[in-house]
Amino acid sequence: MIEVRSCRERGDLRRFVALAERIYRDDPCWVPPLRGEELARFDRSRNPFLAHSPAEAFLARRDGEVVGRIVAIHNTRHLEAWHDGTGFFGFFECVDDQAV
């Protein structure tokens, strides 16, 4: 069973960042981003985008192991300009498993 929860517990954002490293570690073409910069993307005090547009990160777990991640983004500036009700997502990664 897959459980999806928002990143609210201590260490969840570190697990969020680490998932991509785990998935792609054997790919010779993959260059991991700097962890500090990745963590800063989700810090409201360090990312000016988050000052006006909330984002929520989620982790998918199977038996306690992180197997997927995604971020839901409410881009306020886009909605103010276009009034189209569009929602956004990003940072999607998961293990090679259709269930996830």
Side-chain angles (χ1 to χ4, degrees):
M1 174 182 214
I2 308 293
E3 178 185 24
V4 178
R5 289 186 303 185
S6 62
C7 291
R8 301 255 170 111
E9 296 178 16
R10 184 180 180 105
D12 276 350
L13 284 179
R14 292 194 183 281
R15 286 184 276 279
F16 184 93
V17 169
L19 178 64
E21 294 174 6
R22 195 176 89 223
I23 290 173
Y24 299 116
R25 70 177 163 232
D26 294 329
D27 183 337
C29 296
W30 187 67
V31 178
L34 299 173
R35 279 189 188 172
E37 288 185 13
E38 285 293 282
L39 292 170
R41 289 180 193 245
F42 303 101
D43 184 339
R44 285 176 174 74
S45 67
R46 295 168 64 189
N47 183 343
F49 176 80
L50 297 176
H52 60 74
S53 294
E56 188 76 32
F58 296 88
L59 288 175
R61 291 181 171 95
R62 179 190 293 127
D63 299 324
E65 178 187 2
V66 175
V67 292
R69 72 181 196 173
I70 195 165
V71 174
I73 305 159
H74 181 95
N75 188 332
T76 304
R77 298 285 159 77
H78 172 90
L79 296 172
E80 289 170 354
W82 297 102
H83 308 286
D84 60 3
T86 300
F88 297 88
F89 69 92
F91 301 93
F92 173 75
E93 307 285 350
C94 72
V95 296
D96 188 14
D97 182 342
Q98 281 293 112
V100 179

